[in-house]
């Protein structure tokens, strides 16, 4: 399913459309590759943005796309004794 198809289904499924910021995040994630927090944070960054804001946006996007068989995966990695996360859009397996 292409991102544009997913975006339309989110808008039609429950009337709870993606915000402008959520659409920007999904545009980055649509390639299915992992993206680090910094890359995603840059697309929402302004003077008032905190790192928790990214987590809230990811959480809200997940709530909207899970009923459509999609999710955002988080992979924890450790670099130079520091934990960070990478995110990617994934298709859920029905079982």
């Amino acid at each position: 399913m292409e991102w544009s198809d997913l975006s339309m289904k989110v808008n039609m499924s429950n009337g709870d459309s993606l915000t402008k910021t959520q659409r920007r995040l999904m545009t980055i994630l649509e390639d299915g590759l992992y993206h680090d927090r910094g890359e995603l944070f840059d697309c929402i960054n302004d003077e008032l943005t905190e790192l928790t804001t990214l987590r809230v946006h990811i959480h809200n996007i997940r709530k909207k796309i899970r009923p459509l068989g999609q999710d955002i995966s988080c992979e924890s990695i450790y670099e130079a004794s520091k934990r960070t996360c990478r995110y990617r859009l994934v298709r859920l397996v029905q079982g």
Side-chain angles (χ1 to χ4, degrees), residues 34-37 73-77 79 84-88:
Y34 278 106
H35 297 276
D36 64 36
R37 269 194 254 194
S73 167
C74 174
E75 176 184 70
S76 294
I77 57 173
E79 295 176 346
T84 188
C85 290
R86 300 185 313 171
Y87 298 93
R88 75 178 179 139

Side-chain angles (χ1 to χ4, degrees), residues 12-95:
M12 293 168 38
S13 67
N14 59 7
D16 192 11
S17 63
L18 296 171
T19 67
K20 197 184 305 186
T21 300
Q22 290 170 351
R23 284 193 304 270
R24 284 196 310 260
L25 288 168
M26 288 296 290
T27 298
I28 292 171
L29 293 168
E30 73 182 329
D31 62 8
L33 301 175
Y34 278 106
H35 297 276
D36 64 36
R37 269 194 254 194
E39 185 180 351
L40 298 178
F41 189 68
D42 286 345
C43 97
I44 61 172
N45 197 8
D46 62 33
E47 297 102 34
L48 302 175
T49 303
E50 296 180 15
L51 194 53
T52 55
T53 304
L54 176 60
R55 287 193 294 256
V56 170
H57 282 298
I58 296 293
H59 171 79
N60 290 332
I61 293 170
R62 282 176 168 153
K63 286 191 335 188
K64 294 175 183 180
I65 66 173
R66 278 183 181 150
L68 303 173
Q70 301 281 327
D71 200 357
I72 297 173
S73 167
C74 174
E75 176 184 70
S76 294
I77 57 173
Y78 293 88
E79 295 176 346
S81 302
K82 195 171 149 183
R83 182 182 166 266
T84 188
C85 290
R86 300 185 313 171
Y87 298 93
R88 75 178 179 139
L89 185 65
V90 296
R91 185 178 309 268
L92 297 174
V93 177
Q94 301 294 326

